[in-house]
Amino acid sequence: MSLLVVGSVALDSVETPFGLKEDILGGSATYFSTSASFFTPVKMVAVVGEDFPQAHLDFLHGRGVDLEGITREKGRTFRWKGRYGWQLNEAETLDTQLNVFQSFSPKLPESYRDAQFVFLGNIHPELQSQVVDQVKGPKLVAADTMNFWINGSRASLLKTLKRVNLLFVNDAEARQLSGEHNIVRAARAILGMGPQRIVVKRGEYGALLFDHEHIFACPALPLADVFDPTGAGDTFAGGFMGTLATAGRVDSEVLRRAMVMGSVMASFTVEKFSLERLREVNRADIRARFTDFKRLTHFEDLGPLEG
């Protein structure tokens, strides 16, 4: 089924202990679309500036991403500059230039309005609500957010949460939004704000899926080479939502598979800068890594206890 993403397309400059890359392809919608495109066609709504390389748009088009919703405005493309230390857990933002993204107002082409699965990337919650206003009876609407909106636009965010089915947050954001330190209590509090399900992304510790009755835990794959975690969360969301859209349904079995597939896609992203690793990946690689995840968590049933 059709999958729609609304979010940012950016040019990033990223420094890690393993090197420095400048003006590389980034943005929430970019990582999400690239990841999801391995599973289903994606429709993207975003804005770029006059300086945005055509080669990047050609790459997305080559991945089967529908770019009718991309607008090119006068001015410079959204830019982000960040640095990671050896822990690679959290980026230090060195510079943010919103540029054309500052006046971004998502307008969905008519052909996008029937999308059955919708992902609202990390943009102002009022803009997220504007997107919900424009879609017609979607099967599932998922949203991402961040500490900036939780702190500065809480009232708008709470209104948006009442309109979405699923929320993606990391563990720090879950605690901040809920006011609860314990992550289980935090998830339960957020479920009370509107979403029927919460995905808590925990980086190298995996991810947790909560609904009103169940918890599902998915580990992260231990990797020998981790170079750049930028975009891993959006790549996770792309694999997750791409899996749901392909299945065309939202039930426990598909949701659990989506959690693993999100982790699979994120595990590729961190192995190189930007989208370099995802450019190399094919479906055979994805299937092999999915099998690695299955082996990682497989164990036999408990037999009779002795003694």
Side-chain angles (χ1 to χ4, degrees), residues 11 17 19 35 38 70 87 103 154 164-165 224 231 234 236 240 267:
L11 295 174
S35 176
F38 284 93
I70 298 285
Q87 290 288 337
S103 57
R154 184 177 181 86
V164 305
N165 308 110
D234 293 303
F236 176 98
F240 183 101
S267 74

Side-chain angles (χ1 to χ4, degrees), residues 90 146-147 150 169-181 183 186 190 200-202:
E90 188 173 341
M146 65 180 295
N147 56 359
I150 295 170
V169 286
N170 63 33
D171 45 5
E173 293 160 351
R175 293 185 175 101
Q176 184 181 11
L177 177 58
S178 66
E180 296 280 359
H181 177 73
I183 201 65
I190 297 170
V200 180
K201 301 170 291 184
R202 306 180 68 229

Side-chain angles (χ1 to χ4, degrees), residues 140-155:
L140 182 138
V141 177
D144 193 8
T145 193
M146 65 180 295
N147 56 359
F148 183 80
W149 309 124
I150 295 170
N151 281 334
S153 302
R154 184 177 181 86

Side-chain angles (χ1 to χ4, degrees), residues 241-256:
M241 294 292 290
T243 300
L244 295 187
T246 299
R249 67 183 200 275
V250 182
D251 57 39
S252 178
E253 178 184 341
V254 175
L255 284 164
R256 291 177 178 223

Side-chain angles (χ1 to χ4, degrees), residues 126-149:
E126 289 184 3
L127 297 181
Q128 293 177 324
S129 282
Q130 289 177 22
V131 175
V132 179
D133 290 337
Q134 297 176 64
V135 291
K136 305 173 183 177
K139 188 179 291 287
L140 182 138
V141 177
D144 193 8
T145 193
M146 65 180 295
N147 56 359
F148 183 80
W149 309 124

Side-chain angles (χ1 to χ4, degrees), residues 8-10 47-49 75-80 95-104 122 148-149:
S8 64
V9 174
V47 62
V48 299
R76 286 164 58 84
T77 300
F78 173 41
R79 279 175 161 76
W80 176 80
D95 186 35
T96 301
Q97 300 175 25
L98 294 177
N99 299 325
V100 297
F101 192 59
Q102 186 167 9
S103 57
F104 177 53
N122 183 15
F148 183 80
W149 309 124

Side-chain angles (χ1 to χ4, degrees), residues 140-214:
L140 182 138
V141 177
D144 193 8
T145 193
M146 65 180 295
N147 56 359
F148 183 80
W149 309 124
I150 295 170
N151 281 334
S153 302
R154 184 177 181 86
S156 295
L157 177 59
L158 292 177
K159 289 180 181 179
T160 299
L161 290 182
K162 295 182 184 301
R163 308 185 68 189
V164 305
N165 308 110
L166 188 148
L167 179 67
F168 291 92
V169 286
N170 63 33
D171 45 5
E173 293 160 351
R175 293 185 175 101
Q176 184 181 11
L177 177 58
S178 66
E180 296 280 359
H181 177 73
N182 179 274
I183 201 65
V184 176
R185 292 181 181 274
R188 288 173 179 166
I190 297 170
L191 287 170
M193 298 175 186
Q196 290 85 53
R197 297 178 178 90
I198 312 291
V199 174
V200 180
K201 301 170 291 184
R202 306 180 68 229
E204 63 182 312
Y205 303 110
L208 297 168
L209 171 66
F210 294 87
D211 62 23
H212 288 283
E213 297 179 357
H214 304 103

